[in-house]
Amino acid sequence: MTTVFVPDSEAIQNLRDVLKFPGNLEDLKTLTETLLEFKKFHPLYVYILFCTSYLYKQTFAIPGSVFLNILSGALYGTVKGTCLSSLLTATGASMCYFLSLLSGTDFILNTWPEKMSHLRAQVDNNQERLPYFLLSLRLVPVSPNWFINATSPILGIPIKIFAVTAFIGLMPYNFVCVKAGSVLSELTSVNDLLNFQMVCNLMLVAGVASLPGFLNKKLQKMS
């Protein structure tokens, strides 16, 4: 709806021509320049457009959220952009959670039976420290986030734990992408965001997040 009812503005006459999900950095740069100019006259419209687009991608597990995270940084700065992206990530992931709960169970179980069995075994083995386990999954994306979103209700993960860990666990990744939005003109590839050092940093954070749950499990065994 936000792409159909574009408000009249002298600033941008061809906004509809560039209103599409970016597929590469060049598309993203063009979209960013257009929205930054349009935002001067219609900030609320741009905000609603960004939020609804982000939620749409998250709810239906459509790849490409990295571009929207970068766009968030370009439109709203590092701090506001990170908070907004993290909130939208958790909200959209929760919507995907409920969508899967309502209509995706049979499809997921029939399509990925081996992956589901493996993930179910991991969840069962980490029930006592489930929040820390989910945080580690989010911080180091061994499994795609869309797969975690879609399978969590089937695995019996409570929505409160799911939403909180999605918000906190994906914040470091969102921060990296959002921060890149402030230097968008200098980026030549999305691979510039996740270099070897950044991946190591995320793995370190994941290890720290898992440590309390690991220690708690050890203490329970000792007692």
Side-chain angles (χ1 to χ4, degrees):
M1 295 297 288
T2 50
T3 59
V4 175
F5 298 105
V6 180
D8 294 330
S9 175
E10 297 179 359
I12 302 297
Q13 297 297 334
N14 61 338
L15 182 61
R16 289 190 180 89
D17 296 335
V18 297
L19 276 184
K20 61 179 182 179
F21 288 116
N24 52 59
L25 279 178
E26 291 305 316
D27 291 344
L28 178 61
K29 291 175 182 179
T30 301
L31 178 62
T32 299
E33 293 175 0
T34 304
L35 288 179
L36 281 173
E37 184 66 22
F38 198 77
K39 180 171 171 279
K40 296 177 182 178
F41 301 91
H42 303 284
L44 180 59
Y45 175 82
V46 173
Y47 178 79
I48 294 174
L49 175 65
F50 177 80
C51 291
T52 53
S53 300
Y54 204 113
L55 291 176
Y56 172 76
K57 272 186 170 290
Q58 286 289 311
T59 301
F60 295 100
I62 302 173
S65 294
V66 57
F67 292 116
L68 294 184
N69 284 337
I70 300 174
L71 178 61
S72 179
L75 291 176
Y76 301 107
T78 302
V79 177
K80 291 182 179 179
T82 300
C83 293
L84 179 60
S85 292
S86 298
L87 180 61
L88 291 173
T89 297
T91 304
S94 299
M95 294 170 69
C96 181
Y97 176 105
F98 286 115
L99 181 63
S100 175
L101 181 64
L102 292 173
S103 60
T105 301
D106 292 337
F107 174 79
I108 292 172
L109 290 175
N110 292 330
T111 305
W112 299 287
E114 294 182 1
K115 289 184 177 181
M116 284 297 300
S117 297
H118 178 68
L119 189 56
R120 187 184 297 278
Q122 288 185 311
V123 171
D124 291 342
N125 291 333
N126 291 276
Q127 279 294 331
E128 296 179 355
R129 56 190 187 99
L130 186 58
Y132 304 107
F133 171 70
L134 292 176
L135 277 177
S136 65
L137 286 183
R138 295 295 190 176
L139 289 165
V140 181
V142 178
S143 297
N145 280 303
W146 66 264
F147 189 72
I148 299 174
N149 297 342
T151 58
S152 289
I154 304 173
L155 297 172
I157 296 174
I159 182 60
K160 290 183 179 180
I161 296 178
F162 171 85
V164 171
T165 53
F167 177 79
I168 299 175
L170 289 172
M171 188 172 287
Y173 172 75
N174 288 339
F175 171 77
V176 172
C177 298
V178 169
K179 189 173 178 59
S182 60
V183 290
L184 180 58
S185 60
E186 301 175 14
L187 289 178
T188 58
S189 169
V190 176
N191 293 330
D192 294 343
L193 300 176
L194 292 178
N195 52 34
F196 179 76
Q197 182 179 0
M198 182 55 62
V199 172
C200 290
N201 290 337
L202 291 176
M203 291 179 67
L204 179 61
V205 174
V208 173
S210 301
L211 186 59
F214 175 78
L215 293 176
N216 182 53
K217 187 175 183 180
K218 288 293 184 181
L219 290 173
Q220 288 182 350
K221 287 185 178 180
M222 293 175 61
S223 61

